[in-house]
Amino acid sequence: MTKQKTAAEAVALIPDNAVVAVNSSSGLCCPDAVLEALGERFDAAGAPRNLTTIHPIAAGDFFGTKGVDHIAKSGCLTKIIGGSYPSGPSKAEPPLIWQMIIKNQVKAYNLPSGIIFDMLREGAGHRPGVLTKVGMETFVDPDLEGGAMNPAAAAEPLVRHMEFEGEDWLYFPAIKPDIAIIRATTGDQRGNLSFESEGAYLGAMEMALAAHNCGGTVIAQVRKVGQNGSIRPHDVHVPGILVDVVVEAPEMLQTTATPYDPAISGELIRPLDSFQLMEFGVQKVIARRVSQELKKGWSVNIGFGVSANVPRVYLEEGRHGDVTWVIEQGAVGGIPLLDFKFGCAANAEAFVASPHQFAYFQAGGFDASLLSFLEIGADGSVNVSRLKATPHRTAGAGGFVDITARARRIVFSGTFNAGAKMHLDDGRLVIDREGHTSKIVPAVDQVSFSGKRALMQGQEATYVTERCVMKLTEHGLMVTEIAPGMDLHRDILEQVSTPLRVADNLQVMNGALFRPEPFGLTP
């Protein structure tokens, strides 16, 4: 017998009111052919209806993988729980899922990616849910927003406080999916799955286990189907005993806008000189200064934005290998890729499942995290998850809340304000035109990271911009360094909407950072 079916036959197994878990990270591992067939079935037959979908990391992107947009239709989708959502340029038309969220047509929640994986694992084990302190005093906390993205979701809260052994915890209920839609490279006729040409496993095993143990159906999209016994046992990452249907989709993209790159899946080691380095400019100055916060031998998480370029600073400075980069999708080592290929790494040393990576992050097992910011509050809190004017420009929090919950050291990076025109001149920063929007504000619009909680837990937080470096102190933000060429009052203190403290021993940033040649990064 064979478990192979067409995509149309597979989605015919999905009933009304089903809870559907989807394993994806933008285009990476996205089972897009199955999601497309599901949307086509709804268009033709008006079924299945009233689906709830679960996305620990976003399904789909702006560059050829529609993902959740295939089913973002009134009557088809009624609830969505996502760690992140498709995001892209602010001038682009918002994805259909964002349009539904903004119009309050779907109950939409943004919960930490790692916690969603935990909720699935609790469902797989028939346990009641997750007790954790991850998310406390952030927008996930029900004392703030409870992760609700619109009024429809706020009317049906998911997260609550619970006392256990004399302590206050956040409680997230277990997720028991009826359907899991996952993706692999190869499936055999018995449903065994291997991932040899994928850039991650994400949570494929956890989703399959949760759906199977809850009496549901597991649908796997693969590039090719082989005979039974054609996959070595050690290469099987999801066994056929958990898989009900295998759908062959030979034309699927490996990741966002990428048909196939063997370096992403570890099938080829790229020469180091093949990686494009950053062009000299303000963003490179910021990434260089961030690189100075790290030490040889550290394990360092990086997020989307300026910080994603820090590995290439290490490469240019001849220090590649001094630091091991770890990203939430599961890659360990190598060189993380940029832009909307973020989430993949070339030349990785290992791939681990995302739920294991998040357990590593949630307990602060790594040495430092490099992350971006949209806003910084007077108390050191950071908003990275919501931009009111163009919400689809941000993906939501993703793993940000998991990562920052107990990280020992966090370096946030970004430009000092929005809209400024600047240039670099002989080792100095020159402001040609001031920005129109301050990013340092009395209170952030959404708390993705709590400065108050960080101080309570003894976490170190540093904020690196092109104009200055700031530290989180018990008295709020303190300017500790300024860029050469900057006037402290005119260019920094007068350009923010909240007072900043200034260190008694204020330093000037190393002028070599502001020149095009390598600056001499030391271990």
Side-chain angles (χ1 to χ4, degrees), residues 186-512:
T186 305
D188 68 17
Q189 293 170 319
R190 290 173 61 85
N192 295 301
L193 306 178
S194 61
F195 287 68
E196 64 270 20
S197 294
E198 306 304 316
Y201 308 130
L202 303 178
M205 179 64 179
E206 285 72 16
M207 285 190 183
L209 195 60
H212 176 83
N213 283 6
C214 294
T217 300
V218 178
I219 300 169
Q221 175 183 310
V222 299
R223 186 179 298 277
K224 54 187 179 293
V225 177
Q227 284 189 342
N228 295 334
S230 60
I231 305 175
R232 293 174 57 246
H234 277 292
D235 294 335
V236 174
H237 287 279
V238 180
I241 57 173
L242 302 180
V243 177
D244 299 287
V245 178
V246 178
V247 175
E248 191 172 63
E251 302 303 320
M252 66 190 195
L253 296 176
Q254 185 184 36
T255 189
T256 298
T258 305
Y260 176 61
D261 178 350
I264 287 175
S265 47
E267 298 169 277
L268 175 77
I269 301 300
R270 278 178 60 181
L272 294 182
D273 61 8
S274 70
F275 290 93
Q276 184 176 355
L277 303 177
M278 289 186 78
E279 293 185 4
F280 181 62
V282 167
Q283 298 282 327
K284 187 168 187 174
V285 167
I286 298 172
R288 284 174 157 184
R289 179 60 188 84
V290 170
S291 72
Q292 293 182 307
E293 294 292 312
L294 308 180
K295 296 187 182 301
K296 187 175 182 178
W298 278 8
S299 170
V300 179
N301 161 260
I302 62 172
F304 189 77
V306 175
S307 58
N309 284 286
V310 175
R312 296 177 190 241
V313 171
Y314 266 75
L315 184 61
E316 183 176 13
E317 295 289 325
R319 309 305 313 185
H320 175 67
D322 281 6
V323 167
T324 300
W325 311 106
V326 288
I327 53 181
E328 64 190 62
Q329 286 78 3
V332 176
I335 299 179
L337 301 183
L338 303 175
D339 301 321
F340 286 93
K341 289 183 185 177
F342 183 79
C344 299
N347 303 355
E349 298 173 25
F351 296 114
V352 301
S354 287
H356 298 299
Q357 193 85 300
F358 278 116
Y360 175 57
F361 292 155
Q362 290 171 357
F366 56 111
D367 294 290
S369 183
L370 313 181
L371 300 166
S372 298
F373 63 83
L374 292 173
E375 295 177 309
I376 304 171
D379 65 350
S381 294
V382 168
N383 172 22
V384 74
S385 46
R386 182 166 69 192
L387 195 62
K388 279 185 175 179
T390 51
H392 68 278
R393 186 178 160 195
T394 60
F400 183 97
V401 176
D402 302 280
I403 292 163
T404 58
R406 292 188 179 89
R408 286 170 275 175
R409 305 170 189 87
I410 310 169
V411 184
F412 297 106
S413 59
T415 53
F416 189 77
N417 61 25
K421 298 296 182 182
M422 300 165 278
H423 72 275
L424 303 171
D425 180 23
D426 194 25
R428 298 167 66 253
L429 177 66
V430 179
I431 309 298
D432 301 310
R433 187 184 73 203
E434 260 312 339
H436 52 71
T437 303
S438 174
K439 292 186 180 181
I440 302 173
V441 296
V444 295
D445 176 56
Q446 185 171 72
V447 180
S448 316
F449 165 79
S450 168
K452 175 184 173 183
R453 188 166 183 82
L455 286 171
M456 182 189 74
Q457 297 185 138
Q459 295 172 278
E460 296 179 17
T462 303
Y463 311 80
V464 176
T465 75
E466 78 286 358
R467 302 189 192 198
C468 66
V469 177
M470 297 171 285
K471 297 281 188 180
L472 176 60
T473 74
E474 60 182 12
H475 302 295
L477 295 174
M478 176 177 288
V479 180
T480 58
E481 299 176 34
I482 61 171
M486 290 295 93
D487 179 275
L488 175 64
H489 290 276
R490 181 194 66 215
D491 299 319
I492 297 170
L493 301 182
E494 294 176 8
Q495 300 304 322
V496 296
S497 54
T498 189
L500 298 175
R501 299 173 66 86
V502 179
D504 293 336
N505 60 337
L506 181 67
Q507 304 290 310
V508 177
M509 296 163 69
N510 183 354

Side-chain angles (χ1 to χ4, degrees), residues 21-69:
V22 181
N23 194 46
S24 178
S25 175
S26 297
L28 178 63
C29 287
C30 186
D32 203 54
V34 175
L35 293 174
E36 182 179 16
L38 183 56
E40 290 173 348
R41 179 189 166 202
F42 181 81
D43 289 341
R49 300 186 62 80
N50 303 324
L51 298 180
T52 295
T53 58
I54 312 298
H55 308 269
I57 314 178
D61 54 48
F62 277 62
F63 306 99
T65 304
K66 286 187 65 174
V68 70
D69 260 20

